[in-house]
Amino acid sequence: MVDNVVLLGGGGCCCCLFVIFVAIMLALGFKKVESSQWALQYDWWSESVKEDPLTQAGLHFVGIGNYLLTFPATSKYCYFRNFDNSFQPDDDDVFMPPLNVRTSDGLKVTLELEFVYRLQMAKLRDLYMLVGDSGYRNTLVHVASAAISAHATNFSAQAFYGDRGDVQGAFQAALAKELDRVLYITVVSFQLQPAHFPKLYAAAIVETQEMKQDIQVAEQENKTKVIQKQTQLYSARQLAHQIIIKAEGEAQQTLVQNQADVAQFKYRQQVLAEGYSKALNFFSSQGQDAVPNFLSYLKVEALKAHGGSQKTVKLTPVV
């Protein structure tokens, strides 16, 4: 009886241990994917990586001995810059010192830049097979620095401070093309900071900028003076036009006045002539010598017209 009890007790312990072992194995078969991650499932038994990535956050059963290869699901930064101690970097971001490049005219220029990149979910397995689960960062640095250095030779030193927008656009296009082709990485945005030039060249740039500003000021002053002179010329032309209009008006007024005076004079002379004609006809109708009587009539009319002048007029008596 005692032996049977011992056997039953030993069997129960083995069952409990087996259940605990199975539970532990099952628990080890679950792996967690964070909300900011994508993952590839690595099969330890076949030493292979499954094609489809795990993109849903939470626990996933991958099997005993298998594990997950995680990748960032969010956009990350790559910096080629100098930072002070107050900057707090993200562990998943890439930090490198500024790039030293050569321009098309041979000048050595130091560039600070940054860009935002994102892994392509559909290409995660291809990326892993190419560089591993974390080696893409080092490869990204090499590809980016090579692309920037190569395309920097397409621009002169002047372009890096005078046409920085064109340079930035060319760098972004070249970098996006290379990272997509080599590492299946998408460039979300690109920012080029002001370039650093050698001291002598930097001083020449400052002097050039000052001269450009002086030229702009001089051009603006010249434009202002031209506008002032044009305004004065316009005012003078307007004044001359007004004078011409006034003179033409006065001339027209004088002409009209003279025409009125002439017409009035002609009318008066016509009326006088008609009166004198009637007077001469009257004297002729009297049967006497009309001309002497008409002249005597004219003398009387002249005397009447000059009556207030205090002048003495000698008249021939009328017979």
Side-chain angles (χ1 to χ4, degrees), residues 214-231:
D214 293 341
I215 292 173
Q216 291 176 353
V217 171
E219 289 177 347
Q220 187 62 39
E221 291 178 351
N222 182 62
K223 290 180 180 179
T224 301
K225 290 182 179 179
V226 169
I227 293 174
Q228 291 175 349
K229 295 300 181 182
Q230 289 177 344
T231 303

Side-chain angles (χ1 to χ4, degrees), residues 14-30 61 64:
C14 290
C15 290
C16 291
L17 291 175
F18 178 76
V19 170
I20 294 173
F21 175 78
V22 171
I24 293 174
M25 291 296 100
L26 290 175
L28 292 176
F30 282 93
F61 182 76
I64 300 173

Side-chain angles (χ1 to χ4, degrees), residues 7-298:
L7 288 175
L8 289 174
C13 291
C14 290
C15 290
C16 291
L17 291 175
F18 178 76
V19 170
I20 294 173
F21 175 78
V22 171
I24 293 174
M25 291 296 100
L26 290 175
L28 292 176
F30 282 93
K31 302 296 180 183
K32 184 179 181 181
V33 177
E34 301 292 342
S35 59
S36 61
Q37 291 179 336
W38 293 326
L40 292 174
Q41 182 176 341
Y42 184 86
D43 191 330
W44 182 80
W45 303 100
S46 62
E47 296 184 353
S48 62
V49 178
K50 291 188 176 181
E51 291 282 347
D52 298 328
L54 300 176
T55 59
Q56 297 296 324
L59 292 176
H60 296 267
F61 182 76
V62 298
I64 300 173
N66 299 334
Y67 56 90
L68 296 179
L69 304 168
T70 58
F71 298 85
T74 58
S75 297
K76 297 299 177 181
Y77 283 84
C78 179
Y79 298 95
F80 289 88
R81 293 183 58 183
N82 290 320
F83 290 96
D84 54 24
N85 294 330
S86 62
F87 183 77
Q88 298 296 327
D90 190 332
D91 293 337
D92 290 333
D93 292 335
V94 178
F95 294 86
M96 297 299 295
L99 289 173
N100 294 320
V101 300
R102 291 281 182 181
T103 63
S104 61
D105 41 12
L107 187 68
K108 182 179 179 181
V109 178
T110 302
L111 297 181
E112 291 193 59
L113 57 94
E114 62 188 61
F115 62 90
V116 180
Y117 69 93
R118 187 181 180 92
L119 303 183
Q120 297 177 11
M121 183 182 66
K123 295 288 187 177
L124 283 183
R125 186 176 185 279
D126 295 332
L127 178 63
Y128 173 77
M129 298 302 293
L130 182 65
V131 293
D133 58 341
S134 61
Y136 70 88
R137 292 185 179 86
N138 293 330
T139 308
L140 179 144
V141 170
H142 294 307
V143 172
S145 59
I148 298 299
S149 299
H151 281 77
T153 58
N154 296 329
F155 297 93
S156 64
Q158 183 179 0
F160 280 92
Y161 71 86
D163 303 317
R164 193 154 54 92
D166 295 337
V167 177
Q168 176 174 302
F171 281 175
Q172 181 171 355
L175 184 61
K177 180 179 179 180
E178 286 300 304
L179 289 180
D180 180 72
R181 182 181 66 86
V182 177
L183 289 177
Y184 317 111
I185 289 177
T186 300
V187 175
V188 179
S189 64
F190 183 93
Q191 181 65 46
L192 179 65
Q193 304 297 325
H196 301 286
F197 298 91
K199 291 183 178 180
L200 293 178
Y201 195 85
I205 292 175
V206 174
E207 184 178 358
T208 301
Q209 292 297 110
E210 291 176 351
M211 292 182 67
K212 285 184 177 180
Q213 292 178 357
D214 293 341
I215 292 173
Q216 291 176 353
V217 171
E219 289 177 347
Q220 187 62 39
E221 291 178 351
N222 182 62
K223 290 180 180 179
T224 301
K225 290 182 179 179
V226 169
I227 293 174
Q228 291 175 349
K229 295 300 181 182
Q230 289 177 344
T231 303
Q232 293 176 1
L233 178 60
Y234 176 78
S235 299
R237 286 178 175 174
Q238 289 294 105
L239 180 60
H241 184 63
Q242 293 176 0
I243 294 174
I244 292 173
I245 293 176
K246 183 178 180 181
E248 290 178 348
E250 292 177 351
Q252 188 68 22
Q253 181 181 1
T254 303
L255 178 61
V256 172
Q257 183 66 37
N258 290 339
Q259 289 176 347
D261 291 343
V262 170
Q264 184 179 6
F265 179 77
K266 287 175 66 178
Y267 176 75
R268 186 170 59 249
Q269 295 303 319
Q270 184 178 356
V271 171
L272 288 175
E274 290 177 354
Y276 291 152
S277 177
K278 290 180 179 180
L280 183 60
N281 292 333
F282 172 77
F283 287 115
S284 297
S285 64
Q286 298 299 319
Q288 301 177 359
D289 191 358
V291 174
N293 292 334
F294 179 69
L295 293 176
S296 297
Y297 169 74
L298 292 178

